[in-house]
Amino acid sequence: MDKQTEFVLRAIEERDVRFVRMWFTDVLGFLKSVAIAPAELEGAFAEGMGFDGSAIEGFARVYESDMVAHPDPATFQVLPWRDTSPATARMFCDISMPDGSPSYADPRYVLKRALKKAADLGFTFYTHPEVEFFLFKDPLEPDQPPVPVDQSGYFDHTPQSLGSDFRRKAITMLEQMGISVEFSHHEGGPGQQEIDLRYADALSTADNLMTFRVVVKEVALSQGIHASFMPKPFTEHPGSGMHTHMSLFEGDNNAFYDASAEHHLSKVARHFIAGLLRHAGEITAVTNQWVNSYKRLAGGGEAPSYICWGRNNRSALVRVPMYKPNKGSSARVELRSIDSAANPYLAFALMLNAGLAGIEGEYELPEGAEDDVWSLTERERQALGIEPLPRNLDEAIRAMEKSELVAETLGEHVFDFFLRNKRAEFEEYRRQVTPMELRRLLPVL
């Protein structure tokens, strides 16, 4: 038994933990949980815990349904929103087949596989997400627009406001669970908040994001309000994205930094950006997996719709922040399309492999776009070689279907299930009669 496992077993006894929740994520990014008694935990560490995978979205067909969950002792944390005595703790799990081989349907394994590829090339992949979400008054009424908890705007400071109280409580809980927060503030839409997590390796960040969503929803519930990561709940207000900063490190050195290069961007960084751009359309069905995601990307402003990069250009898909241009450890690139409702394991795996494809293939980086891409005409964008991102989930699915990179990254099972699920979602969406159609067409046709 290793030291981390011994620590968990000792902590459970010392902190009077009576329930241990085993957490894992399905292919669509929904968190699953099963609680076991502390007496069962030593056996779970040694042999795993069997469950019926056919009951989980994307995990297994009925005739191959047995799966085993192996708790990761490094992810042990006591849940601060539960009673302290007796306490409840959680651990993330890795999913395997009964023969011990990794499950082909475990999103955490998909990311681990991509991280191993990076490690074989000498890289460690770090991510830093800026998570946006909305707070609404409860109850949410069916077929009625949600009511935001405030009418504040970007960076607004409102004394004793519900939003600032909420952020303070949520951040306190996150930090109690070992998740470091860098910034928090009110975002541009009414009721819209942003909390930025500190840089961490991509697997830790993905685990932290799954925990983040639970904490935010639990705090909202305790305050009698509702938190939502829906990408675009309002037509007239900005949507919620998850701008994600990325960097590759070789040991202690940031592989994206070169003091002698233009913009201090190393060849590795330039190839990585070129990979993100070349494969952007193919990975969009995963970074923006809901039909509603494309309402956000069509909204203009700081949500990108076109495949280009730039320095400090918030209309570009990939931005190179210039906060500390002479500090090597701060060199990074920012992907601005991804939703805060994406499955972070699958999304990070694809973002990493797209960048690695650029490095391995030595893709040439096109000229950066320093203009507001939204303000250009279609002809001007074409002249600059700036292609659009998929305009809806259907276009994104069609681009993903043809992608060797996405198929190889996700694996055959996840690739096929994800496409089937998203096709069904788009077909259901396509049949819906919207309020806009009724408002415009019913009176005149």
Side-chain angles (χ1 to χ4, degrees), residues 246 265 269-284 304-311 313 315-320 333-337 350-359 363-369 373 384-390 399 405:
M246 298 169 279
L265 276 180
R270 297 178 71 82
H271 292 323
F272 189 93
I273 296 169
L276 283 173
L277 297 179
R278 184 177 298 189
H279 298 289
E282 303 163 32
I283 70 174
T284 297
S305 278
Y306 299 96
I307 301 171
C308 60
W309 75 281
R311 293 177 306 137
N313 184 348
S315 68
L317 173 68
V318 178
R319 186 174 78 97
V320 178
V333 301
E334 176 191 11
L335 184 70
R336 299 178 62 79
S337 57
L350 286 170
M351 289 152 60
L352 172 58
N353 276 356
L356 293 180
I359 293 169
Y363 294 0
E364 194 68 32
L365 183 64
E367 284 293 316
V373 183
L384 292 169
I386 298 174
E387 297 290 328
L389 280 171
L405 179 132

Side-chain angles (χ1 to χ4, degrees), residues 67-318:
M67 296 265 177
V68 183
H70 299 271
D72 180 349
T75 64
F76 174 83
Q77 290 288 345
V78 173
L79 302 182
W81 60 87
R82 306 299 295 179
D83 294 334
T84 54
S85 185
T88 302
R90 71 93 163 100
M91 278 181 284
F92 282 96
C93 294
D94 294 305
I95 309 301
S96 74
M97 307 298 286
D99 64 4
S101 61
S103 168
Y104 41 74
D106 180 9
R108 204 167 187 256
Y109 177 63
V110 170
L111 178 54
K112 281 187 167 184
R113 201 166 53 214
L115 293 173
K116 184 181 183 304
K117 180 179 179 180
D120 290 344
L121 295 170
F123 298 121
T124 305
F125 182 47
Y126 288 93
T127 54
H128 154 57
E130 304 173 353
V131 194
E132 297 173 347
F133 57 94
F134 279 90
L135 297 178
F136 300 122
K137 294 179 181 178
D138 252 349
L140 297 179
E141 298 290 344
D143 301 321
Q144 295 297 318
V147 180
V149 297
D150 61 51
Q151 294 297 320
S152 300
Y154 189 66
F155 268 36
D156 277 359
H157 175 77
T158 309
Q160 302 296 318
S161 71
L162 187 59
S164 60
D165 288 346
F166 173 92
R167 294 193 300 272
R168 184 173 65 250
K169 187 172 182 181
I171 290 166
T172 300
M173 280 196 184
L174 288 167
E175 293 186 335
Q176 285 173 344
M177 296 189 72
I179 299 172
S180 297
V181 172
E182 198 166 58
F183 300 109
S184 70
H185 59 85
H186 198 286
E187 251 300 331
Q192 191 178 30
Q193 319 295 319
E194 178 175 312
I195 297 176
D196 300 355
L197 303 187
R198 191 174 293 279
Y199 252 93
D201 67 275
L203 183 64
S204 296
T205 305
D207 288 343
N208 289 346
L209 283 168
M210 297 308 300
T211 305
F212 179 99
R213 293 176 187 171
V214 176
V215 168
V216 163
K217 288 181 177 289
E218 289 284 354
V219 173
L221 194 63
S222 72
Q223 297 188 352
I225 56 178
H226 181 87
S228 176
F229 295 91
M230 181 178 176
K232 192 78 160 68
F234 297 113
T235 300
E236 65 276 18
H237 298 301
S240 290
M242 188 172 72
H243 303 157
T244 299
H245 299 247
M246 298 169 279
S247 60
L248 293 177
F249 272 70
E250 295 175 296
D252 294 330
N253 297 319
N254 190 332
F256 283 0
Y257 182 74
D258 183 346
S260 63
E262 185 182 12
H263 313 317
H264 296 170
L265 276 180
S266 69
K267 283 186 178 179
V268 168
R270 297 178 71 82
H271 292 323
F272 189 93
I273 296 169
L276 283 173
L277 297 179
R278 184 177 298 189
H279 298 289
E282 303 163 32
I283 70 174
T284 297
V286 175
T287 58
N288 306 83
Q289 74 174 67
W290 309 102
V291 289
N292 180 254
S293 301
Y294 298 84
K295 306 295 175 70
R296 170 181 162 253
L297 296 182
E302 295 192 6
S305 278
Y306 299 96
I307 301 171
C308 60
W309 75 281
R311 293 177 306 137
N312 278 342
N313 184 348
R314 284 176 164 76
S315 68
L317 173 68
V318 178

Side-chain angles (χ1 to χ4, degrees), residues 306 373-386:
Y306 299 96
V373 183
W374 281 97
S375 67
L376 301 175
T377 65
E378 195 63 41
R379 182 170 292 182
E380 288 171 330
R381 284 191 288 264
Q382 288 175 355
L384 292 169
I386 298 174

